[in-house]
Amino acid sequence: MEFIKGKGEVKAEIIVNGAKKLQEYGFEGKDGDVLVLPEKKRVYVGVESINAENIKTATALIIKSLKKYKFESVEITPPNTKNEDILIAFFEGFILGDYEFDKYKSKKANHPIKKIAINSKRDFEEVINEAKIRANAVCFVRDIVNSMPDEITPAKLASIAEEVAKENKLECIIHDENYLYENGYYAFYSVAKASTNPARLIHLAYKPKNAKRKIVLIGKGLCYDSGGLSLKPSDFMVTMKSDKAGAVTVLGIIKAISELGLDIEVHAILGAAENMIGGNAYKPDDVLKAKNGKTIEVRNTDAEGRLVLADCLCYAQEEIKEFEEIYDFATLTGACMVGVGEYTCGVMGFDKEKIQKIINTGEKTGEHFAYLPFNKYLSKLLKSEIADISNIASSRYGGALTAGLFLSEFIEDKNKEKWTHLDIAGPAYVEKAWGFNPHGASGFGVDTFVSLLKSF
Ligand code: BES
Ligand code: ZN
Ligand code: ZN
């Protein structure tokens, strides 16, 4: 798909607040309403107001609805605005809407629309370039997260990361399961040890000259989460290929940041493992020592992500000197989805301002974030009688927060305010299309973090 100037076979129009002339077709122009008039070579999509989410969804819907008609080009006028976020969203939507995951289908998806003709005197080259980098990174994340667990093992994820590093001149260190064991990352090591596909700790770094800031991104990369010995019921196990989404998101962000050439040093740490069963599986009742010396009583092997992340957080704080901010992305809890719904990421931490900035940035990219506040009563629920901390809370309420508080135990005091935790269990993977997202993996978080890092 390419963006050109001039004319196209079909004219597309984004209708803000409905249009009288279309009422005869029953087109009200509500958010997401689409009207295709193939004989007249017209397509209309409604938005109730102009914002990044609506515009991105509108252009995604134009592509989706025109794909059926085998048109090869479409002509459209971009919104008349100087707001760059809206314009980027406008161009991204076409690429995001054209995405289909057909890797395992014998009959491949059609991508009939080859040209998007932009009807404007303005030169959009820079905006288009950035929109392409962002949308391609999002689609890159979608492809990997959607791929089956037998294909994307921790070693495979490491080799994908190596490729990204090579293409974008990033530093790349890959540690294997022996490294984890020999260096005392027993929490991470133990989660992974029953799998025939051993763990990898993947560390990528983008180090531009004269970097203004140093940022660390950590991702939960459970290439499969069967629950381990605390085995998931069958219906809950399906979709757990998506438990690697945090790690892949972080990979997508560093890929986009380096392609955009932002002047910020970014480290991406991916904790890749499979949570499986077997004679040597870690067990409920085991006590594991994380790299920082804290002991963890395992009471449920399905709360594995926090164990992997605990050691990844330790690794980052030991190996990366003097960073300003540290973020972790994880499909961490079903409780987060119960709390805020499938379409929203739960954001936790000790620096409210930082969190507010993420929420605000999400509004500029069309991604939803909600602040979940810690409190001291919830912290107490993680008490263990036999170890420093338990890997699950003693109450069934507030599961997203108690998981976040568990992670906070592995953040050194001096870094407490630098840390933010993002629970993407809901939006990373939804089994139906929503907004500008397809069924399955969404690539959630990439766009907002590219904007956030760009704003520094
Ligand atoms: N990967 C899951 C969380 C999850 C659930 C992500 C559904 C996406 C969709 C995580 O490892 C898990 O199993 N968490 C448990 C924690 C519990 C045992 C305290 C959960 O949420 O039930
Ligand atoms: Zn789990
Ligand atoms: Zn998990």
Side-chain angles (χ1 to χ4, degrees):
M1 179 187 286
E2 62 170 329
F3 297 97
I4 56 160
K5 285 200 164 164
K7 302 270 165 235
E9 280 172 276
V10 193
K11 276 195 176 162
E13 206 178 315
I14 298 173
I15 306 287
V16 189
N17 270 325
K20 279 222 173 73
K21 61 170 178 178
L22 299 173
Q23 274 172 6
E24 59 176 299
Y25 300 101
F27 178 83
E28 288 184 60
K30 296 264 180 260
D31 277 343
D33 281 356
V34 183
L35 173 67
V36 188
L37 303 174
E39 319 78 42
K40 296 197 167 166
K41 306 214 163 156
R42 287 270 198 264
V43 53
Y44 302 96
V45 286
V47 298
E48 288 162 40
S49 61
I50 296 184
N51 59 45
E53 180 175 30
N54 289 353
I55 294 297
K56 214 194 251 187
T57 303
T59 50
L61 288 176
I62 289 172
I63 291 300
K64 279 194 200 180
S65 37
L66 281 182
K67 274 173 120 174
K68 299 178 202 125
Y69 299 91
K70 299 204 172 89
F71 291 116
E72 290 183 0
S73 62
V74 56
E75 174 182 336
I76 187 163
T77 307
N80 184 15
T81 174
K82 289 204 172 80
N83 183 327
E84 197 178 314
D85 301 316
I86 305 267
L87 291 170
I88 290 177
F90 171 83
F91 288 105
E92 269 191 274
F94 294 103
I95 301 170
L96 298 176
D98 198 28
Y99 177 86
E100 279 182 70
F101 184 68
D102 59 5
K103 192 194 241 178
Y104 307 127
K105 296 247 192 209
S106 316
K107 194 166 173 281
K108 298 298 174 197
N110 272 326
H111 297 275
I113 309 263
K114 302 280 185 300
K115 290 192 166 88
I116 313 288
I118 300 301
N119 199 339
S120 169
K121 289 203 181 72
R122 218 187 116 173
D123 181 15
F124 288 108
E125 205 185 302
E126 258 179 55
V127 178
I128 290 173
N129 184 47
E130 178 164 345
K132 277 186 186 164
I133 289 175
R134 287 168 178 261
N136 289 339
V138 171
C139 294
F140 166 85
V141 173
R142 289 175 176 179
D143 268 338
I144 300 170
V145 174
N146 281 327
S147 293
M148 62 171 170
D150 197 45
E151 186 177 341
I152 312 293
T153 59
K156 174 69 181 182
L157 190 54
S159 77
I160 294 171
E162 267 178 325
E163 267 172 55
V164 171
K166 217 171 173 187
E167 280 166 18
N168 298 288
K169 300 198 178 69
L170 310 177
E171 289 179 14
C172 178
I173 313 169
I174 292 169
H175 299 296
D176 64 10
E177 76 279 20
N178 299 318
Y179 171 91
L180 296 176
Y181 185 77
E182 284 157 14
N183 291 281
Y185 296 97
Y186 299 122
F188 187 167
Y189 174 83
S190 301
V191 168
K193 73 182 182 170
S195 179
T196 50
N197 299 313
R200 294 288 183 271
L201 191 162
I202 304 158
H203 180 175
L204 300 174
Y206 166 62
K207 295 181 173 171
K209 277 187 209 111
N210 312 319
K212 283 194 291 210
R213 274 200 202 207
K214 198 191 274 193
I215 308 288
V216 182
L217 307 173
I218 296 184
K220 168 177 172 181
L222 263 289
C223 293
Y224 205 67
D225 180 12
S226 73
L229 289 176
S230 314
L231 197 63
K232 284 185 186 293
S234 321
D235 288 351
F236 289 76
M237 205 183 295
V238 196
T239 72
M240 278 304 130
K241 64 176 181 184
S242 68
D243 214 19
K244 58 184 180 291
V248 183
T249 303
V250 159
L251 188 58
I253 297 169
I254 201 168
K255 173 177 152 72
I257 294 296
S258 59
E259 287 173 7
L260 288 169
L262 299 192
D263 48 1
I264 306 167
E265 181 167 328
V266 180
H267 292 255
I269 291 156
L270 289 65
E274 286 180 355
N275 186 20
M276 302 298 282
I277 53 172
N280 62 340
Y282 85 123
K283 306 169 187 70
D285 287 348
D286 274 342
V287 174
L288 314 174
K289 190 183 264 183
K291 174 67 175 173
N292 68 350
K294 284 205 181 175
T295 56
I296 307 163
E297 179 189 0
V298 176
R299 294 184 67 90
N300 189 318
T301 62
D302 199 10
E304 84 300 336
R306 61 194 75 183
L307 300 172
V308 169
L309 287 173
D311 269 339
C312 289
L313 290 167
C314 293
Y315 173 91
Q317 292 169 100
E318 251 180 53
E319 300 294 325
I320 305 164
K321 299 284 171 264
E322 286 167 19
F323 52 82
E324 274 90 25
E325 287 170 35
I326 180 164
Y327 299 90
D328 75 73
F329 293 76
T331 48
L332 204 60
T333 66
C336 193
M337 305 161 72
V338 174
V340 298
E342 276 181 294
Y343 312 107
T344 302
C345 165
V347 194
M348 287 153 259
F350 299 104
D351 182 348
K352 244 179 161 172
E353 251 172 59
K354 216 171 258 134
I355 294 170
Q356 192 57 49
K357 196 158 179 208
I358 297 172
I359 296 170
N360 296 345
T361 308
E363 282 169 13
K364 296 179 181 171
T365 56
E367 296 186 319
H368 297 263
F369 296 84
Y371 171 48
L372 306 179
F374 290 148
N375 65 56
K376 61 186 173 191
Y377 309 105
L378 289 169
S379 310
K380 294 202 178 104
L381 303 174
L382 290 162
K383 231 179 125 242
S384 162
E385 293 297 329
I386 64 158
D388 298 337
I389 192 168
S390 167
N391 84 323
I392 55 164
S394 54
S395 158
R396 51 201 206 88
Y397 302 117
L401 282 156
T402 49
L405 283 164
F406 177 93
L407 297 179
S408 77
E409 292 293 321
F410 299 86
I411 303 290
E412 296 166 29
D413 284 341
K414 68 173 198 294
N415 294 329
K416 283 276 197 280
E417 303 209 326
K418 298 182 181 174
W419 168 73
T420 307
H421 162 57
L422 297 115
D423 193 332
I424 56 168
Y429 194 93
V430 181
E431 281 197 299
K432 57 181 180 282
W434 53 293
F436 47 84
N437 299 291
H439 169 282
S442 62
F444 179 94
V446 171
D447 226 340
T448 300
F449 267 70
V450 169
S451 292
L452 187 75
L453 298 187
K454 209 179 138 188
S455 74
F456 289 157

